[in-house]
Amino acid sequence: MAYSRLARLQAEQAMKQEKRKYSIRKVSTIGATSALIGSLVFISTQAKADEATTAQTETQVVVDNAAQTTDQTADVDNAATATSTAAETPAATSTTTASTEEAPVASTAASASEENNTTSETAEATATSETTDTTATTETATTVKENDEKANATDTSKADKAQATAEVDKIAVDENGLTEQAKKIAEEAGLDIAKLTDAQKTALNKIYMDSTAETGTQMTYKQFQEIADTLLAQDERYAIPYFNAAAIKNMKAATTVDAQTKQVADLDVWDSWPVQDVKTGEVVNWNGYQLVVAMMGIPNTNDNHLYLLYNDYKDNNFDNWRNAGSIFGYGLDAITQQWSGSAIVNSDGTIQLYYTNVDTSDNNSNNQMLATATLTLAVENGQVVIKSVDNNRILTPKGGDGYYYQSYKQWRATFTGADNIAMRDPHVIEDEDGQRYLVFEASTGTQNYQGENQIYNWKNYGGDAAFNVSSLFDILANKDMYERSSFANAAIGIVRLTGNEKTPSIAQYYTPLLSATMVSDEIERPNVVKLGGKYYLFAASRLNHGSNDIAWNKANEEVGDNVVMLGYVSDKLTSGYKPLNKSGVVLTASVPADWRTATYSYYAVPVEGSDDTLLVTAYMTNRNEVAGKGKNSTWAPSFLIQILPDGTTRVLAKMTEQGDWIWDASSETQTTVGTFETSYLPGENDGYIDWNLIGGYNLKPHMPYKPTDPTTQHTPEDPDKPDTPTPDSPTPNTPTIPNKGQGKVPNVPAVAKAGILPTTSDSDNSLVATIGFAILASMTAYVAYGGYKRKYQ
């Protein structure tokens, strides 16, 4: 269809060019006869008008050549780095948006063809420079070679087609300056075309309908909005149940020898996962014990390492959990860290751990790599002990493969301080044929890469024309949203494993199961559960890592947090996932982020004997004693959710003690069940949250707000006069209050033009200068005709 449309547009242009010839000949004749007169009159203009004209002409040249200069710079950068540096990357975005609010709009004036050219060059450079991120095997090498060739062929084809179409669309505009497609979109959106600004028309003309990129399931901007709306509604089917704050306690097993200091300390405990059956996902009974691996560390310290925790199988008592110690020993440092993953039992009873190896030696950045190790355990004197850790090996030393998933080199080349990278949280699962896979958090590669061009990709929006256009204009009107949309490329990836169960390597990369290009930059901790013949994919996310500032700021203001659990279902493990509850929402925050009972990092575990019920585990209280000194991050009570046949879910009124990973007849309790009034500690429900710090792990200790007048409730600032800070380098963890206008078409400032001569104080001289300029324009038309003849005849 694209090629037939191109041919049709080219034919139309040929007809228009023939019609222009007669008019151009007439104008050129007039220009030829008036050339001498025009020159004499124009020269007679006063020096002041000459100076103004010269200055304005120079400005025009700068404006006209801006896009060309940007492209040349990008080309030089690409050649020098051989990575994904491109005009549509966050680095370019940061440069163009740093000065004023109008800058994002101005930067959109670069044509779609220029963007696609850069993307094509990026893919070629990446495919040449990036190699497989696995331990070398013949099968892997062949697969990666095929991926490289596919990256070159696919991106070149898409770029050529897009460039050709865009070049025609530049010319094929109507009297309103809109392409045929842009006009149709505007009409469907109910816009008054006569009132559109030049910048809005430019934006509409740049929209493209990309259906060729292999994205897997796409989280759309519309779905993100629906998820945020569900959070705001506090629908009891999805809202995380209230916990009794007074019943929550630190984990005794978290008071242990720290892996870095080798001193006994009270540690935070956060991302945790049980040792599971690789097929069913159920918690394994290992020699009478349940085993859990947990990330732990000293509060307010860069201390992120893995520990092995254990308890008697099906023991519900939180205080009975014990600590077998740091898995990778002691004397560790903050340079190399170990993050979230999964674990299963090997055929000989050893534990195969999959985890994230993080190297921060490169200027404190996070080079994340999927890794694995074999743990040999023993029971000695009633205690589980770690006897050895073998086969510790990195599976993805370069991060992603570059094509399906962003490599560390690609990310580092364009990193501006705001762009997240992800190659972490590997979850291992085996299908019915005995083939093992890793599902993990990632960022998209050149197959569907991040960039400013994604803002104009219609498939990223997912709503009707009115919603999509309104959202597009909202993004263009807000610098922070523009930057976030440009670098957002979260994905849930999947790879196939090969080799021995203790020494696996990656055999093949697949298209992401889920992509959120332009929508979100972080969707983490994926796990896949098989229930009733279907595969259910779950993941956790913070909405403030998304590009819709309007939505998540409202969640922060009205609920006090923006965390969610997402869910998808498919008949196949490797593809075809559809969102549960239509938008993908499964759980939403119900209390402010700095309350003792706030939770995150949701992990669903199957309930033995059930094909529709899952036990949801999490950790409680964001790290670093945000709820107060001594109130460490700890395991939350678990609760049940049910999956209904129609693809919807609901929270059940069933809750456990803290740290219960196995639901059985003895699990249910009322001790931890709370209400809104019991879900916070004294002084917490004060209406004050420091949003400059909340959103990541850099939370400060909770300091209760004390109003001057005890009878006056603390309220936000006057909504009619909002404070709208605009940081120079906005990051996902430093929110700005967005521009208002959700659901409306904002008045996007027009791109600055410099084609009109300034007036002077002498009106007569202005008139002479204007006449002279008009005659000179006729001369220019004559010259243009000569060039026209050489080009088209």
Side-chain angles (χ1 to χ4, degrees):
M1 293 297 293
Y3 286 116
S4 62
R5 178 174 179 269
L6 176 60
R8 177 170 56 80
L9 290 175
Q10 289 174 336
E12 291 175 356
Q13 290 310 308
M15 294 176 64
K16 291 181 180 179
Q17 289 160 7
E18 289 298 324
K19 292 180 180 179
R20 291 193 190 108
K21 289 182 179 180
Y22 176 73
S23 297
I24 292 175
R25 290 191 186 101
K26 286 181 66 179
V27 171
S28 63
T29 302
I30 296 172
T33 58
S34 61
L36 180 59
I37 297 173
S39 299
L40 293 174
V41 173
F42 190 76
I43 292 171
S44 68
T45 306
Q46 287 187 348
K48 185 174 181 179
D50 290 338
E51 292 171 356
T53 303
T54 302
Q56 192 65 32
T57 303
E58 290 173 351
T59 303
Q60 178 68 53
V61 172
V62 171
V63 172
D64 289 345
N65 290 327
Q68 180 179 354
T69 303
T70 301
D71 290 339
Q72 291 171 346
T73 303
D75 291 341
V76 172
D77 289 343
N78 284 336
T81 61
T83 63
S84 64
T85 306
E88 64 267 29
T89 60
T93 305
S94 178
T95 300
T96 56
T97 60
S99 57
T100 66
E101 286 296 332
E102 294 184 14
V105 182
S107 68
T108 64
S111 68
S113 63
E114 292 164 341
E115 291 172 350
N116 283 289
N117 276 334
T118 307
T119 302
S120 177
E121 294 163 1
T122 296
E124 294 172 0
T126 302
T128 302
S129 62
E130 295 296 333
T131 58
T132 177
D133 297 335
T134 66
T135 303
T137 65
T138 301
E139 185 176 14
T140 302
T142 301
T143 301
V144 171
K145 182 178 180 181
E146 291 172 353
N147 282 355
D148 289 344
E149 293 172 351
K150 185 177 180 181
N152 283 329
T154 301
D155 286 349
T156 300
S157 174
K158 286 194 292 185
D160 289 344
K161 182 190 295 185
Q163 179 182 0
T165 302
E167 288 294 341
V168 174
D169 284 347
K170 281 183 182 179
I171 304 172
V173 295
D174 61 15
E175 65 277 5
N176 293 306
L178 294 175
T179 64
E180 179 182 346
Q181 174 181 274
K183 181 180 179 181
K184 181 179 179 181
I185 290 172
E187 291 174 345
E188 290 178 352
L191 302 181
D192 185 343
I193 294 177
K195 294 183 179 180
L196 291 174
T197 67
D198 289 345
Q200 289 172 334
K201 292 176 183 178
T202 298
L204 292 173
N205 287 340
K206 292 183 69 175
I207 292 172
Y208 62 100
M209 310 292 180
D210 184 5
S211 59
T212 58
E214 302 172 59
T215 63
T217 298
Q218 172 72 22
M219 174 191 275
T220 66
Y221 203 81
K222 177 68 171 177
Q223 289 171 341
F224 186 97
Q225 180 66 60
E226 291 170 346
I227 292 168
D229 290 342
T230 302
L231 192 157
L232 289 168
Q234 289 293 282
D235 191 318
E236 62 182 8
R237 292 173 296 177
Y238 317 115
I240 296 166
Y242 293 123
F243 304 105
N244 181 4
I248 303 305
K249 50 190 174 182
N250 290 346
M251 187 178 194
K252 288 185 177 180
T255 299
T256 189
V257 177
D258 175 59
Q260 287 187 188
T261 66
K262 297 189 285 186
Q263 302 296 316
V264 175
D266 295 330
L267 307 183
D268 277 337
V269 54
W270 56 101
D271 288 6
S272 306
W273 58 95
V275 175
Q276 296 171 274
D277 183 278
V278 71
K279 280 186 176 290
T280 67
E282 295 176 359
V283 178
V284 169
N285 183 340
W286 185 87
N287 295 322
Y289 295 95
Q290 51 182 317
L291 307 174
V292 172
V293 180
M295 289 181 66
M296 299 172 67
I298 297 175
N300 302 297
T301 305
N302 191 16
D303 185 6
N304 306 287
H305 304 288
L306 301 183
Y307 296 74
L308 179 66
L309 304 171
Y310 65 97
N311 195 2
D312 291 343
Y313 192 72
K314 293 190 176 182
D315 187 343
N316 304 325
N317 192 329
F318 185 51
D319 290 337
N320 288 343
W321 281 91
R322 287 166 283 176
N323 200 324
S326 169
I327 291 176
F328 293 99
Y330 297 88
L332 305 180
D333 57 40
I335 301 298
T336 302
Q337 304 172 10
Q338 298 84 41
W339 292 1
S340 189
S342 59
I344 56 175
V345 180
N346 290 324
S347 55
D348 64 355
T350 58
I351 306 301
Q352 196 64 32
L353 171 66
Y354 291 88
Y355 70 100
T356 310
N357 182 287
V358 184
D359 179 5
T360 66
S361 61
D362 183 10
N363 197 28
N364 295 318
S365 63
N366 295 323
N367 185 0
Q368 304 163 29
M369 298 162 280
L370 307 186
T372 186
T374 306
L375 312 185
T376 300
L377 309 179
V379 179
E380 298 178 353
N381 300 319
Q383 295 182 331
V384 175
V385 295
I386 303 173
K387 302 296 291 185
S388 67
V389 178
D390 306 304
N391 308 315
N392 190 18
R393 59 210 312 256
I394 293 174
L395 301 175
T396 59
K398 296 183 180 180
D401 64 321
Y403 176 64
Y404 289 112
Y405 307 107
Q406 185 180 41
S407 70
Y408 177 77
K409 185 177 181 181
Q410 286 173 314
W411 172 80
R412 199 71 178 90
T414 61
F415 178 58
T416 64
D419 186 9
N420 283 317
I421 185 175
M423 193 65 180
R424 62 178 184 259
D425 305 349
H427 176 83
V428 61
I429 186 171
E430 185 176 290
D431 66 12
E432 60 276 5
D433 297 326
Q435 179 61 60
R436 292 186 177 182
Y437 299 83
L438 287 182
V439 177
F440 52 93
E441 179 189 0
S443 301
T444 60
T446 58
Q447 175 200 42
N448 184 35
Y449 205 53
Q450 65 186 33
E452 293 172 272
N453 63 306
Q454 290 287 358
I455 294 174
Y456 305 98
N457 186 349
W458 209 233
K459 73 179 294 184
N460 291 336
Y461 289 90
D464 58 21
F467 174 85
N468 293 358
V469 171
S470 176
S471 300
L472 169 63
F473 289 171
D474 280 347
I475 291 172
L476 296 181
N478 185 299
K479 183 171 68 174
D480 187 61
M481 291 173 64
Y482 185 90
E483 286 203 359
R484 287 167 177 266
S485 298
S486 297
F487 59 64
N489 66 333
I492 299 298
I494 184 169
V495 295
R496 180 168 59 86
L497 296 176
T498 189
N500 185 278
E501 62 180 355
K502 294 184 179 180
T503 57
S505 59
I506 294 178
Q508 185 175 0
Y509 288 84
Y510 293 86
T511 296
L513 302 180
L514 174 68
S515 297
T517 317
M518 195 207 81
V519 177
S520 178
D521 208 32
E522 184 179 84
I523 301 175
E524 54 187 347
R525 286 216 75 198
N527 73 310
V528 177
V529 179
K530 189 174 183 181
L531 291 176
K534 294 181 181 293
Y535 290 95
Y536 292 88
L537 166 66
F538 298 98
S541 185
R542 299 179 189 269
L543 296 184
N544 70 329
H545 287 288
S547 58
N548 190 341
D549 291 13
I550 299 171
W552 59 257
N553 267 301
K554 193 170 184 181
N556 286 351
E557 293 165 4
E558 298 191 15
V559 177
D561 204 355
N562 57 74
V563 296
V564 296
M565 178 181 179
L566 306 174
Y568 301 82
V569 60
S570 176
D571 294 327
K572 293 177 56 181
L573 173 60
T574 58
S575 64
Y577 286 86
K578 296 180 180 179
L580 296 172
N581 303 309
K582 295 184 179 179
S583 68
V585 66
V586 175
L587 295 174
T588 61
S590 54
V591 299
D594 61 349
W595 285 13
R596 178 61 163 154
T597 57
T599 55
Y600 187 57
S601 195
Y602 311 102
Y603 192 91
V605 181
V607 172
E608 185 178 359
S610 174
D611 61 1
D612 67 352
T613 309
L614 294 165
L615 184 70
V616 176
T617 65
Y619 72 82
M620 178 164 283
T621 302
N622 281 297
R623 294 163 51 198
N624 301 327
E625 301 173 318
V626 63
K629 183 68 177 176
K631 297 179 177 64
N632 292 353
S633 180
T634 184
W635 282 351
S638 302
F639 57 93
L640 296 180
I641 61 172
Q642 184 179 31
I643 301 175
L644 303 177
D646 61 357
T648 61
T649 66
R650 63 182 179 184
V651 175
L652 300 180
K654 301 287 185 180
M655 192 176 295
T656 74
E657 296 285 352
Q658 288 176 256
D660 196 340
W661 294 83
I662 303 170
W663 177 268
D664 58 20
S666 64
S667 294
E668 187 173 2
T669 183
Q670 293 297 311
T671 304
T672 55
V673 176
T675 63
F676 178 80
E677 289 73 19
T678 63
S679 63
Y680 54 88
L681 297 175
E684 284 186 335
N685 188 24
D686 53 27
Y688 173 77
I689 301 175
D690 189 343
W691 290 114
N692 289 322
L693 297 176
I694 285 183
Y697 290 139
N698 297 318
L699 302 172
K700 72 176 184 179
H702 182 77
M703 300 297 293
Y705 173 78
K706 297 180 180 179
T708 304
D709 182 0
T711 63
T712 303
Q713 184 178 5
H714 178 65
T715 58
E717 294 180 5
D718 183 358
D720 294 330
K721 298 179 180 180
D723 181 19
T724 55
T726 306
D728 291 335
S729 299
T731 69
N733 292 335
T734 307
T736 58
I737 299 176
N739 294 341
K740 301 299 180 182
Q742 184 181 12
K744 300 178 182 179
V745 180
N747 184 21
V748 182
V751 178
K753 295 184 177 180
I756 303 176
L757 286 171
T759 59
T760 67
S761 59
D762 188 332
S763 59
D764 292 336
N765 287 336
S766 299
L767 178 61
V768 173
T770 302
I771 295 172
F773 185 80
I775 297 174
L776 192 60
S778 299
M779 296 170 58
T780 304
Y782 179 78
V783 175
Y785 175 62
Y788 172 86
K789 289 179 66 178
R790 287 191 295 273
K791 183 175 182 180
Y792 294 106
Q793 291 184 350

